[in-house]
Amino acid sequence: MLVKKMQTQVQELDGKEVAIQGWVRTNRASKNIGFIVINDGSCFSNVQVVYEASLENFKEIGKITLGSAVEVKGVFVATPDGKQPFEIHAQSVEVLGACDHDYPIQKKRHTYEYMREIPHVRPRANSYYAMFRLRSVLSMAIHTFFQDRGFVYIHTPIITGNDAEGAGECFTVTTRKDDKYDEDFFGKHAQLTVSGQLHVEPFALTYRNVYTFGPTFRAENSNTTRHASEFWMIEPELAFADLADDMDCIEEMIKFCINYCLEHAAEEMAFFEKFVDKDCINRVKHVANSHFARMTYSEGIEHLLKAKDQFENQDIFWGMDLQSEHERYLCEKVVNGPVFLTDYPKDIKAFYMRVNEDNKTVAACDLLVPYVGELVGGSQREERYDVLVAKMQEMGMDQSTLQWYLDLRRFGGCKHSGFGLGFDRMLMYLSGMQNIRDVQPYPRTPRNLIF
Ligand code: 4AD
Ligand code: MG
């Protein structure tokens, strides 16, 4: 459909005068003719401009450097037999912004490490150019999925007085040099949010189905390829839904997003398939068409015990927090695809998760996927006031800052569930990009904050 539309547009434009602005990707000239390849920002493909010696500034055009901003006026020529569907025969080429010779991107392959040092120009390199558009397309996929299903988008606060996950890995927000928070800007300790979940739950008990989608911040000192200190998270919350409903929603959302990106970022995905991960399109297509496996944590431990010798950490026991090598073993070796691990021991999960009948496990799920590990974390929430209070006391939590959260259990509270999808990890999963630093425009990680 899209190709057909493009063909008619190309035919309609054939012979017409056009003007384009963009940035030079390559420029080469011989005695009588030259070629500038330009990207105008509208799509992944570049356009080739042909310029001839008859132009009065032919010599100067030949010297235009890579990275320069230019305007080309000329004639659109359809080239159905050529490599590209069309080219532009220049009548004039004007430099709008020259690019100095120390432009850090040259026509060769640069390492990702090198590119991370120059976040102000790296979007113009192919891998990043493709990634940051995919990022935009995936955002739209998320909104489309939830809006089409009647979910209400809630803007939860970035500055908060609660540590939702209770893990204590938060960045303090202060205007003071000391730590007298009583005298601080808000008159109390404030921090950047680690999760919008607690703040979105009241809205689920109003609109039934809601979601947040925004930046979250974690001061975990884990220097891995999958952890960032600032990352985006989608957190839906569904009233009158249990854990099974929650997992159905996760599965449907992931599949929708895959199909949406394959359709709306086809050129970008084709690029990733060619240059980043040969298997990425096949892999995600397969995922979009298969049923996600579901396995309890206890079953997972059984599998791990049998394969104990393969791990660096061989201390496998019921009640342990799984490490990434264990999670990857389960999805890559046991299931060979995405798997929901459910019903974790209550002691290794957050306070708000609903305690199961066995009084040992909680109604939680993590979605584990090959290469990335944990992509989604979700749970049914504890809706029983007394059980929740007891749990908080057991965990030594300060009840006073969360009385409002407890009150929700007294003011028409009901069964409800939700989850958090790591947006940046989803991008890694789609593209096959190996490091979270290469899917974020300005990555923030321990000891690293460029610009
Ligand atoms: O499992 P997490 O910590 O769950 C929550 O925050 C819940 N409040 C979600 C909810 O139920 N509403 O985080 C959810 C997801 C993880 O599965 C992971 O994909 C991603 O967020 N994530 C990170 N992504 C990048 N860098 C980090 N440091 C991340 N920490 C978590
Ligand atoms: Mg988690």
Side-chain angles (χ1 to χ4, degrees):
M1 190 61 208
L2 209 70
V3 172
K4 205 168 159 216
K5 199 171 144 222
M6 194 168 140
Q7 276 168 355
T8 50
Q9 280 174 349
V10 166
Q11 278 158 14
E12 281 162 15
L13 280 169
D14 194 23
K16 292 234 162 75
E17 288 197 1
V18 291
I20 61 160
Q21 291 104 22
W23 292 270
V24 174
R25 288 293 180 93
T26 61
N27 183 13
R28 62 194 161 87
S30 59
K31 222 168 99 198
N32 299 317
I33 194 165
F35 303 92
I36 301 188
V37 172
I38 293 174
N39 189 281
D40 80 340
S42 63
C43 66
F44 188 79
S45 298
N46 303 317
V47 56
Q48 170 156 286
V49 173
V50 183
Y51 57 100
E52 292 180 8
S54 54
L55 295 178
E56 56 172 5
N57 59 341
F58 178 74
K59 276 222 168 82
E60 285 75 65
I61 300 173
K63 290 181 198 146
I64 296 176
T65 48
L66 214 143
S68 297
V70 295
E71 178 169 81
V72 173
K73 291 184 179 148
V75 179
F76 187 103
V77 179
T79 50
D81 301 326
K83 234 164 75 187
Q84 301 97 353
F86 63 89
E87 58 190 25
I88 292 170
H89 288 197
Q91 288 162 338
S92 73
V93 179
E94 188 191 345
V95 176
L96 302 180
C99 187
D100 287 350
H101 282 286
D102 59 350
Y103 184 56
I105 304 179
Q106 292 302 326
K107 221 196 148 227
K108 60 167 192 173
R109 264 200 136 165
H110 296 289
T111 65
Y112 290 120
E113 287 78 10
Y114 171 78
M115 290 301 214
R116 281 176 213 141
E117 301 296 315
I118 48 169
H120 58 316
V121 283
R122 72 171 182 170
R124 292 197 230 160
N126 282 338
S127 303
Y128 297 95
Y129 188 86
M131 177 51 71
F132 298 136
R133 194 187 308 276
L134 180 64
R135 220 182 142 93
S136 168
V137 170
L138 180 61
S139 304
M140 195 61 186
I142 298 283
H143 284 300
T144 305
F145 177 81
F146 287 110
Q147 296 283 332
D148 283 356
R149 285 157 186 77
F151 283 62
V152 178
Y153 178 31
I154 307 296
H155 292 146
T156 48
I158 307 272
I159 301 174
T160 158
N162 301 113
D163 174 0
E165 294 301 300
E169 291 165 331
C170 64
F171 291 103
T172 294
V173 175
T174 182
T175 56
R176 293 189 68 87
K177 295 211 160 41
D178 57 33
D179 57 0
K180 289 190 187 142
Y181 299 122
D182 292 349
E183 294 166 36
D184 204 346
F185 192 89
F186 296 106
K188 63 198 265 191
H189 182 258
Q191 63 190 59
L192 296 178
T193 186
V194 297
S195 156
Q197 178 197 324
L198 303 196
H199 291 96
V200 92
E201 281 188 46
F203 292 84
L205 301 183
T206 307
Y207 298 108
R208 181 172 184 143
N209 292 332
V210 296
Y211 67 109
T212 72
F213 181 12
T216 47
F217 308 86
R218 295 199 185 172
E220 333 166 68
N221 208 352
S222 38
N223 230 319
T224 79
T225 53
R226 295 165 296 108
H227 288 85
S229 316
E230 176 175 333
F231 62 96
W232 280 59
M233 188 155 54
I234 295 98
E235 293 186 274
E237 194 69 28
L238 297 75
F240 311 110
D242 62 16
L243 187 65
D245 301 321
D246 208 27
M247 290 190 283
D248 289 343
C249 181
I250 296 169
E251 185 167 340
E252 209 190 323
M253 173 195 67
I254 302 265
K255 290 176 174 176
F256 179 91
C257 288
I258 288 173
N259 288 327
Y260 190 98
C261 289
L262 287 173
E263 183 181 344
H264 292 87
E267 278 191 294
E268 285 74 10
M269 289 301 294
F271 171 84
F272 292 126
E273 184 184 44
K274 201 161 169 203
F275 292 105
V276 176
D277 174 2
K278 282 196 293 296
D279 193 37
C280 71
I281 292 185
N282 270 340
R283 173 163 49 88
V284 296
K285 271 191 182 161
H286 175 70
V287 166
N289 294 317
S290 55
H291 181 65
F292 290 11
R294 298 178 185 194
M295 181 194 293
T296 65
Y297 167 93
S298 302
E299 287 162 353
I301 290 289
E302 295 293 318
H303 284 290
L304 295 176
L305 279 171
K306 276 186 230 150
K308 213 170 166 168
D309 307 341
Q310 306 190 20
F311 305 119
E312 231 165 81
N313 176 359
Q314 303 187 348
D315 192 17
I316 310 284
F317 59 95
W318 195 95
M320 71 184 291
D321 213 351
L322 300 187
Q323 275 152 20
S324 136
E325 58 172 341
H326 308 129
E327 295 180 339
R328 291 188 57 167
Y329 176 82
L330 292 176
C331 55
E332 288 169 24
K333 297 280 160 29
V334 178
V335 174
N336 193 20
V339 55
F340 283 111
L341 210 59
T342 64
D343 304 291
Y344 283 77
K346 66 176 180 182
D347 294 338
I348 57 169
K349 285 290 186 188
F351 76 99
Y352 50 71
M353 298 187 178
R354 193 179 196 281
V355 180
N356 287 328
E357 296 301 310
D358 62 12
N359 204 25
K360 285 194 333 221
T361 58
V362 284
C365 68
D366 275 4
L367 179 66
L368 311 178
V369 300
Y371 312 108
V372 172
E374 182 192 335
L375 182 63
V376 180
S379 66
Q380 187 170 334
R381 318 308 188 187
E382 185 56 78
E383 82 283 13
R384 296 162 297 186
Y385 187 94
D386 298 337
V387 179
L388 190 55
V389 170
K391 182 84 166 288
M392 288 170 73
Q393 282 167 354
E394 209 176 286
M395 295 174 86
M397 290 175 62
D398 175 12
Q399 204 173 304
S400 65
T401 63
L402 285 171
Q403 189 54 48
W404 62 275
Y405 184 73
L406 287 163
D407 285 345
L408 292 174
R409 277 68 191 159
R410 303 189 295 121
F411 301 155
C414 65
K415 171 172 89 175
H416 63 291
S417 303
F419 62 89
L421 166 70
F423 182 72
D424 311 274
R425 289 193 188 171
M426 181 71 191
L427 284 168
M428 293 172 70
Y429 188 52
L430 284 170
S431 64
M433 206 70 108
Q434 296 281 315
N435 197 311
I436 198 163
R437 292 162 184 79
D438 299 319
V439 307
Q440 299 187 318
Y442 295 94
R444 274 80 177 90
T445 51
R447 312 218 53 84
N448 168 54
L449 190 152
I450 299 184
F451 312 150

